[in-house]
Amino acid sequence: MNILTVDTSTIVASVAILNEEKLVGEMIVNHQKKHSEKLMVSIDHLLKDGGLSIREIDVFGVVAGPGSFTGLRIGMATIKGFAQALNKPVVGVSTLEALAMNIPFADGIICPVLDAQRNQTYTGAFHFEDGCLVRDLADSVLEIDALIDFLKKKDEPIYFLGDGLPRFSETLLSACPKGVRVPNYLSMNRASSAAALVLERALKGDVSHYRDIEPVYIRPSYAEEHKQ
């Protein structure tokens, strides 16, 4: 089963092709948010390098959010277009869940932190149990103090990752003595991590029709909140 997954939820643009046997390939560009220019080129390049045609993709995966509203729409529209044209199923995964998959088998709480602006974070909490990712906190948009209040109840090590760390890591690590900042190369979104979740769900038959999947924004945009 060949899985093609894209992640354009943050400044990182990433594409991966994965099957049950191996990671066929992955492309990551962590420079400027020009996903509309990068994404199709990256997909084409990766397919050619993997010796595959787009028709050989069995399931399309997409990181559905939360994250950049524009980025999410670009990734979603691309994957839905492929799925519609080829009559293939789609699997959407959480940005935060995919980030947590960057550090499999961590011995504590994994806390992805994305900068949601306005002194808020997109965040969640996870741990691994018998090799499987388990959720401890639903995807949320929280003030940093509210996240700290939740984490203070935990006795395990807490692993922080995500693009919110440049802004929030000092506050989080000061408030959480067992907190660990994950190295930068593991802290960014990777389509291969999302693809692992997509493959797992596809093998269980947990897939969607392209009409039934939409971006997950969690909160309204600033413009929507202030609409007269």
Side-chain angles (χ1 to χ4, degrees), residues 7 13 29 34 36 42 48 51-52 60 65 69 94 106 108 118 124 130 159 167 171 176 185 195 197 200 224 227:
D7 186 345
V29 181
K34 295 183 178 178
S36 59
S42 296
K48 287 178 179 176
L52 295 167
F60 290 96
F69 285 27
S94 155
R118 297 179 249 169
D130 297 327
Y159 296 92
R167 183 177 179 189
T171 301
C176 304
Y185 70 94
L197 291 169
E200 177 183 308
E224 291 170 326
K227 188 186 301 182

Side-chain angles (χ1 to χ4, degrees), residues 1-7 16-20 22-23 26 59-65 90-105 110 112 126-128 131-135 139 189-208:
M1 181 184 292
N2 291 315
I3 305 288
L4 187 150
T5 299
V6 305
D7 186 345
I17 298 175
L18 182 77
N19 58 40
E20 297 101 312
K22 63 184 178 181
L23 174 64
E26 180 175 32
V59 179
F60 290 96
V62 61
V63 172
V90 179
V91 176
V93 299
S94 155
T95 312
L96 301 164
E97 192 174 11
L99 264 173
M101 288 291 289
N102 283 6
I103 48 173
F105 313 111
I110 304 169
F126 307 85
H127 71 274
F128 279 94
C132 297
L133 190 64
V134 178
R135 183 181 287 278
D139 290 0
N189 295 69
R190 303 181 64 103
S192 58
S193 294
L197 291 169
V198 173
L199 178 62
E200 177 183 308
R201 290 168 192 176
L203 290 171
K204 295 176 181 177
D206 185 11
V207 298
S208 300

Side-chain angles (χ1 to χ4, degrees), residues 105-207:
F105 313 111
D107 60 342
I109 300 296
I110 304 169
C111 183
V113 179
L114 299 179
D115 188 355
Q117 307 299 319
R118 297 179 249 169
N119 201 42
Q120 293 180 326
T121 66
Y122 294 124
T123 190
F126 307 85
H127 71 274
F128 279 94
E129 189 173 300
D130 297 327
C132 297
L133 190 64
V134 178
R135 183 181 287 278
D136 298 298
L137 174 66
D139 290 0
S140 307
V141 56
L142 296 177
E143 301 274 342
I144 196 66
D145 290 341
L147 175 58
I148 288 170
D149 286 343
F150 170 80
L151 294 173
K152 279 184 173 179
K153 302 170 186 176
K154 304 296 181 181
D155 294 326
E156 309 97 317
I158 302 170
Y159 296 92
F160 295 108
L161 71 170
D163 69 10
L165 293 187
R167 183 177 179 189
F168 295 115
S169 65
E170 186 174 343
T171 301
L172 288 167
L173 294 174
S174 176
C176 304
K178 291 188 177 181
V180 177
R181 181 171 177 170
V182 171
N184 288 338
Y185 70 94
L186 291 174
S187 192
M188 64 181 177
N189 295 69
R190 303 181 64 103
S192 58
S193 294
L197 291 169
V198 173
L199 178 62
E200 177 183 308
R201 290 168 192 176
L203 290 171
K204 295 176 181 177
D206 185 11
V207 298

Side-chain angles (χ1 to χ4, degrees), residues 1 28-29 31 41 45-47 51 54 73 86 92 130 136 146 153 173 177-178 182 193 195 200 210 213 216 218 228:
M1 181 184 292
I28 302 170
V29 181
H31 178 67
V41 174
H45 190 101
L46 198 57
L47 285 166
I54 193 67
R73 286 193 287 266
L86 299 169
D130 297 327
D136 298 298
K153 302 170 186 176
L173 294 174
K178 291 188 177 181
V182 171
S193 294
E200 177 183 308
Y210 75 89
I213 186 166
V216 179
I218 293 187
Q228 297 297 325

